[in-house]
Amino acid sequence: MAFLLKNARVVDPQVELDEVCDILVEDGKIAQVGKGLSAANAEEIDCTGKVVTPGLVDIHVHLRDPGQEQKEDIASGTRAAAHGGFTAVACMPNTKPTIDNAITVEYVQRMAEKVGKCRVHVVGSCTQGLAGETLSEMGDMVRHGAVAFTDDGHGVQGAGMMRRVMDYANQFGKVVMSHCQDEDLVGDGVVNEGVCSTRLGMLGWPAEGEELQIARDIALCRLTGTPLHIQHITTARGVDLVRQAKAEGLPVTAEATPHHLFLNEDAIDDTYNTYLKVNPPLRTEEDRLAVTAGVLDGTIDCIVTDHAPHTDWEKDCEFAIAAFGMTGLETSLGLVLTQLVRTGVMDYAQMVQLMAVNPRSIIQVDPVTIQEGSVADLTVIDPEVEWTVSVDDFCSKAKNSGFIGATLTGRATDVFVGGVPTLRNGAIVE
């Protein structure tokens, strides 16, 4: 199977490429990159006016499979990923059963090979059942392909246990991803503590409930030397802590989500829209601006979605008891293009760094570059198409997006995974 992508603006900062040219894909790899290419045996795709980048990767996704397939499964979640322009995702281990042993790692990998529309990298749990009490079978999971560890959905509460997790992960050279939440301090909080919690009459979630664990885990990174990745960072002081750790030379990275970059606590009004109930909560405008500044200055290494699908009944209820989380795979690229790239806040090269290059580096999988010989994982973007976020357009089983009704400009039209198209002209390839 061969494809010739003609007249695309090709952007890959890894090889200092940003020019209009052609890409020939043959046998799963990039065979040629240049101007005026031709290939008699290749299907030609006119990419005039479009942008082609190394395939996008989202390293914080909840596929809910095994055990919660009523919310999402590997088939629907990877379809949503391809629809959003992603060629790979890293799935979180808070499934039922938890991904805390080699059997569940193998299950996800086999199902992804069978029904997936993108690559799926498996992240194992730090502790068995996410209980924070007993180490998971980390070594066995690494041998079977786990790329990182996290108890995402819960912070590992004990500092001693987190130290053991990091010591053990260090033996395998794997990064520990930290969901920073001091559960004793956060308690039953559901919105940012301060003006928002007072205005809505809801229990507050203080910023310090996140920042304490960021500071603690940076200290443990210093103690153990284990690479640490701070998940879904939301506060200005948290960003400063990561900035200081990087200045010290510690192996610390961080991620931010579109909902924390483009929404703040003021979005939650007296309609109590449960789609805006997320973990960690939407913070103040000052925090949002600090997270954005962190993305732009390189303190925050990547943009992820924390794609968290839920059933209708888990969201169609009182705000206090609704499930935390919103979907994101199918809106992330459009939001970044609309809010950051079209406005000139960042250029395509920086977007590629944040959504394709750095994520692969953090989970230590092979890089993808647009040059001869590289695997042909590619995302084709129409930067001018205007569209409205609609439930009817989602491939995900879930509809709990906080951006429904938003008008965005730019989205993926074609996706290639190992040279095989998974999205063509905006539609999933079956």
Side-chain angles (χ1 to χ4, degrees):
M1 187 178 298
F3 297 92
L4 180 60
L5 282 61
K6 294 285 292 183
N7 302 314
R9 178 183 173 186
V10 182
V11 180
D12 183 359
Q14 300 166 103
V15 292
E16 299 182 347
L17 180 62
D18 186 350
E19 63 182 34
V20 175
C21 59
D22 308 332
I23 303 172
L24 177 61
V25 174
E26 286 182 333
D27 299 326
K29 294 187 179 298
I30 295 174
Q32 276 184 281
V33 180
K35 296 180 183 295
L37 299 183
S38 61
N41 62 337
E43 178 183 340
E44 188 169 305
I45 300 173
D46 182 11
C47 293
T48 303
K50 296 185 178 180
V51 177
V52 178
T53 72
L56 305 183
V57 181
D58 184 346
I59 62 170
H60 193 147
V61 170
H62 297 272
L63 293 178
R64 306 301 195 196
D65 191 350
Q68 298 175 312
E69 293 87 351
Q70 73 277 15
K71 300 170 186 265
E72 195 81 283
D73 57 29
I74 291 170
S76 64
T78 57
R79 289 167 68 93
H83 195 218
F86 293 97
T87 59
V89 299
C91 64
M92 296 295 104
N94 57 338
T95 50
K96 293 183 178 179
T98 304
I99 301 174
D100 58 10
N101 57 62
I103 294 172
T104 43
V105 171
E106 288 274 357
Y107 165 79
V108 173
Q109 291 174 332
R110 297 293 84 79
M111 285 300 294
E113 290 171 1
K114 183 177 179 181
V115 303
K117 293 296 181 183
C118 70
R119 301 180 194 277
V120 176
H121 303 293
V122 182
V123 179
S125 72
C126 298
T127 65
Q128 293 184 19
L130 309 176
E133 296 174 351
T134 306
L135 284 177
S136 62
E137 297 176 13
M138 297 169 71
D140 208 21
M141 285 193 285
V142 169
R143 281 190 288 273
H144 287 262
V147 297
F149 296 101
T150 181
D151 271 6
D152 184 53
H154 303 272
V156 175
Q157 297 303 297
M161 174 55 73
M162 190 60 167
R163 190 239 169 109
R164 285 192 288 280
V165 167
M166 296 182 76
D167 274 339
Y168 210 63
N170 199 14
Q171 296 182 40
F172 307 106
K174 297 299 180 184
V175 63
V176 174
M177 307 169 119
S178 182
H179 172 115
C180 294
Q181 177 182 344
D182 185 311
E183 293 177 359
D184 194 37
L185 181 57
V186 169
D188 295 323
V190 292
V191 295
N192 189 41
E193 182 170 306
V195 172
C196 183
S197 59
T198 302
R199 173 170 55 82
L200 296 171
M202 308 294 289
L203 290 173
W205 177 319
E208 287 79 358
E210 179 177 341
E211 294 156 355
L212 280 171
Q213 285 212 346
I214 294 175
R216 181 201 72 178
D217 291 347
I218 288 173
L220 293 174
C221 170
R222 183 184 300 113
L223 176 66
T224 63
T226 303
L228 171 70
H229 179 69
I230 304 298
Q231 296 180 296
H232 40 46
I233 196 166
T234 68
T235 80
R237 285 189 294 270
V239 174
D240 280 341
L241 288 167
V242 172
R243 188 175 287 119
Q244 293 164 20
K246 285 176 178 269
E248 190 181 334
L250 297 177
V252 174
T253 55
E255 65 183 35
T257 71
H259 47 275
H260 291 117
L261 285 169
F262 307 128
L263 296 172
N264 64 30
E265 61 180 4
D266 297 335
I268 308 172
D269 57 20
D270 59 8
T271 64
Y272 293 88
N273 181 357
T274 59
Y275 291 1
L276 301 177
K277 181 180 177 182
V278 290
N279 176 353
L282 300 178
R283 300 291 189 187
T284 66
E285 176 64 5
E286 291 74 20
D287 288 318
R288 189 191 72 80
L289 292 173
V291 172
T292 303
V295 167
L296 296 174
D297 71 14
T299 300
I300 295 171
D301 304 84
C302 62
I303 295 173
V304 303
T305 65
D306 192 9
H307 178 79
H310 289 294
T311 59
D312 290 347
W313 65 266
E314 290 172 298
K315 285 293 192 179
D316 291 343
C317 55
E318 295 88 341
F319 195 95
I321 62 173
F324 286 98
M326 72 166 71
T327 58
L329 282 169
E330 294 172 88
T331 53
S332 177
L333 175 60
L335 286 164
V336 170
L337 290 168
T338 303
Q339 299 282 351
L340 297 178
V341 178
R342 287 186 70 83
T343 56
V345 175
M346 73 167 55
D347 58 21
Y348 277 106
Q350 190 170 11
M351 187 196 80
V352 170
Q353 200 73 40
L354 288 159
M355 299 183 72
V357 180
N358 293 348
R360 288 186 173 89
S361 174
I362 290 166
I363 61 171
Q364 302 170 37
V365 298
D366 291 339
V368 172
T369 59
I370 300 183
Q371 62 181 348
E372 184 178 336
S374 177
V375 65
D377 285 9
L378 300 168
T379 300
V380 183
I381 299 166
D382 183 341
E384 300 298 331
V385 62
E386 187 173 282
W387 59 289
T388 301
V389 179
S390 167
V391 170
D392 296 335
D393 188 50
F394 289 159
C395 291
S396 171
K397 288 184 179 181
K399 63 182 181 182
N400 55 298
S401 165
F403 295 97
I404 291 172
T407 299
L408 306 179
T409 303
R411 69 185 311 178
T413 61
D414 300 79
V415 170
F416 294 85
V417 179
V420 176
T422 58
L423 185 78
R424 288 293 305 272
N425 300 314
I428 296 294
V429 178
E430 301 296 349

